[in-house]
Amino acid sequence: MHEFDVVKSLLDELLPKLQEEGVKRVTEVRFRRGSTFSQEALLQAFSMLTQGTVLEGAKVKVEVTQTKFRCSCGYEQFITADDLIGHIFVCPECGRAQEIDEAHDLELLEVVAEI
């Protein structure tokens, strides 16, 4: 479950910073994810990992950037997490399997907090 690890890594970095700033509660967190990063996994991991922290209950907003697959056979398609096997995409035109480096792209954009 790579998505869980990615979310955990971001939160492990964020929580000490929030504590240093004296944040009492976070009301909103905004992320940008690649279209191959599962929205469901992001929200589930966030909910699990923020229990008992200042992030618990924060509204999560997510922007999505499209990931485009281009095969050497000429086939092109925007892909989502549903199109992958792990982080491998199989071209429906020629059958070539290709690892998608952007499969776990997630960026923290904004945190709205109460001090």
Side-chain angles (χ1 to χ4, degrees):
M1 182 181 236
H2 295 289
E3 286 95 343
F4 184 88
D5 293 334
V6 172
V7 175
K8 183 176 184 330
S9 177
L10 278 175
L11 296 179
D12 285 349
E13 229 177 277
L14 177 61
L15 283 167
K17 292 177 183 175
L18 294 174
Q19 187 175 12
E20 286 174 21
E21 296 293 324
V23 170
K24 303 286 185 227
R25 183 173 157 255
V26 173
T27 57
E28 183 178 300
V29 179
R30 203 163 57 92
F31 292 100
R32 178 181 297 131
R33 69 172 178 85
S35 61
T36 56
F37 193 104
S38 168
Q39 174 96 0
E40 182 180 333
L42 165 61
L43 296 175
Q44 184 178 42
F46 185 87
S47 177
M48 290 172 55
L49 292 166
T50 59
Q51 290 180 14
T53 73
V54 297
L55 291 162
E56 184 174 11
K59 182 176 183 176
V60 178
K61 292 187 175 180
V62 183
E63 294 178 14
V64 180
T65 58
Q66 296 297 318
T67 302
K68 189 170 191 174
F69 170 80
R70 288 186 182 95
C71 186
S72 57
C73 76
Y75 181 82
E76 293 184 2
Q77 169 185 332
F78 288 109
I79 56 177
T80 69
D82 293 337
D83 297 318
L84 302 179
I85 302 166
H87 48 266
I88 304 292
F89 181 77
V90 178
C91 177
E93 197 70 26
C94 72
R96 179 174 178 247
Q98 183 172 327
E99 185 171 0
I100 305 299
D101 293 333
E102 304 86 16
H104 302 295
D105 279 355
L106 182 66
E107 179 182 4
L108 177 65
L109 298 177
E110 182 180 33
V111 177
V112 179
E114 296 175 358
I115 297 178

